[in-house]
Amino acid sequence: MEKLPQISEAEYEIMKILWAEYPLSTNEICQRAQQIQDWKPKTIHTLLSRLSAKHVIAYEQRGRMYYYYPVISQKIYLKQENRHFLNRFYEGKAAPMFSSLLAGDELSDADLKDLYTLINSKMKSGDK
């Protein structure tokens, strides 16, 4: 898999907006971003420029408006970030990560049941 560029937390917020619905005009992106962040339009325009320079989004011009869309899928990006996280903090192994999660109070009983269901399903399907 080709390594995708790193995306900052702020850039990721813009990506989530575009992954949810696209194409979106600059104005639509600004409106949605300002509902979740206290950003000025200039900040949002800068983030769009950075993402475009990283080739993770693209745009098309329609008249005087620019419409943006993602070039990479959220699923592909999250897969890379998950792998990066595991490698960086847990030597590429999931068991120590789960052990750390289980040792804390972050997981509710519902979370634990969901994890159990996911792991059980994965084991039954025989996927590696």
Side-chain angles (χ1 to χ4, degrees), residues 54-120:
K54 292 179 181 185
H55 305 289
V56 294
I57 66 170
Y59 62 87
E60 61 182 41
Q61 188 172 359
R62 299 181 195 164
R64 295 179 53 202
M65 294 294 295
Y66 290 89
Y67 286 83
Y68 290 86
Y69 55 92
V71 175
I72 60 170
S73 75
Q74 187 174 24
K75 182 178 179 180
I76 297 289
Y77 187 74
L78 290 177
K79 185 176 181 178
Q80 173 182 288
E81 286 300 300
N82 289 337
R83 178 59 41 208
H84 175 73
F85 178 81
L86 279 177
N87 288 337
R88 181 174 179 200
F89 296 107
Y90 297 101
E91 298 177 5
K93 298 180 177 132
M97 181 193 68
F98 282 113
S99 178
S100 176
L101 278 172
L102 293 170
D105 297 332
E106 295 85 15
L107 298 177
S108 67
D109 286 347
D111 290 332
L112 292 170
K113 287 176 186 174
D114 289 345
L115 282 172
Y116 176 81
T117 301
L118 289 169
I119 292 168
N120 195 34

Side-chain angles (χ1 to χ4, degrees), residues 28-44:
E28 292 169 322
I29 295 168
C30 285
Q31 180 184 38
R32 291 174 192 200
Q34 289 174 323
Q35 290 175 353
I36 55 174
Q37 297 290 336
D38 186 26
W39 290 336
K40 303 268 187 261
K42 186 172 181 172
T43 301
I44 298 165

